[in-house]
């Protein structure tokens, strides 16, 4: 008779496999992105209260009133970013570190910025636990980007910018790609900016999304 742990582990693997199939049927077909999602234990990134729901295709609350993004959106954004194995990627809004982990499996190096010290610390502990060594973290205002490390091949913003993120676009290589939710309300447009090689960026609206806002400055915490 299988013991409980085995059954739980099998059920978990089956749930994750179902999630990956669901993402594929919704258009996330990039094999590298799907492999990154399949090899990332999302339950490690969700609060205890929501661990059973880690493989549902939904956003879930994390500490500091923030959210871990919906797996479909993580897949869609990662695929749209067209990350290459040599890419240096900047991510704004580390949150739980789930999206960062997916990017770290696709890119050479990921720089990630978070304005909550608590979230940054928890994400750093997860990266360490998973043995991820190609992630560089910074506690700060990601709206300003990371000028010292610019230019980047790719930039992913995981909080909603009120307008086109000009400061971040200026830190992108001329042929780079930036993906960001843009808009002031509760529903924003997911936009992909594609560089033409001369520093002109064409904006493509991908879909509608709901992200927490990109806020200025660092968060004050007790
Ligand atoms: N990618 C994350 C989603 C986190 S939600 C995940 O997979 O879990 C968006 C995150 O952006 C929040 O943690 C929020 O604190 C952060 N954020 C908002 N404005 C920011 C800013 N100006 N600089 C850095 N992080 C910011």
């Amino acid at each position: 008779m299988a013991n409980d742990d085995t059954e739980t582990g099998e059920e978990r693997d089956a749930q994750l496999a179902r999630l990956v199939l669901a993402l594929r049927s919704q258009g996330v077909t990039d094999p590298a992105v799907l492999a990154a999602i399949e090899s990332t234990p999302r339950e490690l990134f969700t609060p205890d209260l929501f661990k059973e729901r880690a493989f549902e295709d939904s956003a879930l609350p994390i500490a500091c009133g923030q959210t871990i993004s919906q797996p479909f959106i993580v897949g869609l954004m990662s695929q749209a970013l067209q990350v290459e194995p040599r890419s240096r990627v900047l991510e704004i809004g580390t949150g739980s570190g789930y999206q960062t982990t997916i990017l770290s499996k696709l890119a050479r190096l990921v720089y990630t910025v978070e304005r909550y010290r608590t979230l940054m610390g928890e994400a750093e502990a997860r990266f360490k636990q998973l043995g991820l060594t190609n992630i560089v973290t910074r506690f700060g205002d990601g709206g300003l980007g990371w000028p010292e490390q610019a230019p980047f091949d790719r930039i992913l913003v995981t909080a909603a910018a009120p307008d086109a993120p000009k400061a971040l676009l200026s830190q992108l290589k001329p042929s780079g790609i930036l993906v960001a939710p843009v808009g002031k309300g509760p529903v924003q447009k997911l936009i992909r900016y594609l560089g033409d090689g001369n520093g002109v960026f064409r904006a493509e609206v991908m879909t509608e999304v709901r992200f927490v806002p990109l806020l200025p400055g660092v968060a004050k915490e007790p």
Side-chain angles (χ1 to χ4, degrees):
M1 206 172 79
N3 67 36
D4 285 352
D5 282 342
T6 312
E7 279 176 16
T8 312
E10 280 173 6
E11 181 49 34
R12 176 233 178 248
D13 291 351
Q15 282 176 8
L16 179 53
R18 276 199 293 276
L19 173 65
V20 169
L21 276 177
L23 300 195
R24 195 199 305 262
S25 73
Q26 291 174 84
V28 180
T29 53
D30 183 324
V33 170
L34 291 171
I37 290 174
E38 188 143 33
S39 66
T40 299
R42 191 166 184 257
E43 69 270 38
L44 193 71
F45 297 83
T46 52
D48 284 346
L49 195 59
F50 295 103
K51 291 231 182 289
E52 284 167 17
R53 300 182 53 193
F55 299 109
E56 280 178 21
D57 190 18
S58 50
L60 294 167
I62 57 172
C64 308
Q66 305 304 309
T67 50
I68 174 173
S69 306
Q70 178 191 352
F72 169 63
I73 297 296
V74 170
L76 190 71
M77 290 172 94
S78 304
Q79 176 168 284
L81 207 59
Q82 296 175 14
V83 180
E84 290 168 9
R86 293 181 50 81
S87 300
R88 286 169 72 249
V89 181
L90 173 65
E91 179 197 37
I92 307 304
T94 316
S96 68
Y98 178 68
Q99 170 76 76
T100 323
T101 299
I102 303 297
L103 291 174
S104 82
K105 296 180 182 193
L106 302 170
R108 179 159 61 91
L109 212 44
V110 182
Y111 298 84
T112 186
V113 187
E114 171 56 54
R115 68 188 288 278
Y116 278 97
R117 201 183 282 281
T118 302
L119 293 177
M120 188 87 270
E122 290 175 1
E124 283 167 344
R126 292 178 181 123
F127 303 150
K128 198 167 170 201
Q129 189 181 344
L130 293 172
L132 304 172
T133 54
N134 62 339
I135 298 173
V136 190
T137 60
R138 180 186 217 175
F139 164 65
D141 180 359
L144 308 173
W146 197 324
E148 300 84 352
Q149 296 296 343
F152 298 94
D153 299 294
R154 303 287 185 264
I155 300 180
L156 183 62
V157 188
T158 72
D163 307 294
K166 293 210 181 66
L168 297 175
L169 283 168
S170 75
Q171 294 178 28
L172 195 55
K173 286 196 183 161
S175 55
I177 301 176
L178 182 152
V179 174
V182 179
K184 297 183 175 75
V187 179
Q188 308 96 27
K189 291 194 165 24
L190 185 62
I191 301 188
R192 171 161 71 171
Y193 297 87
L194 292 155
D196 69 350
N198 295 308
V200 178
F201 294 95
R202 177 166 56 89
E204 274 177 9
V205 177
M206 297 176 57
T207 183
E208 291 196 329
V209 285
R210 290 174 170 269
F211 273 86
V212 297
L214 184 77
L215 297 172
V218 295
K220 288 201 179 64
E221 294 180 73

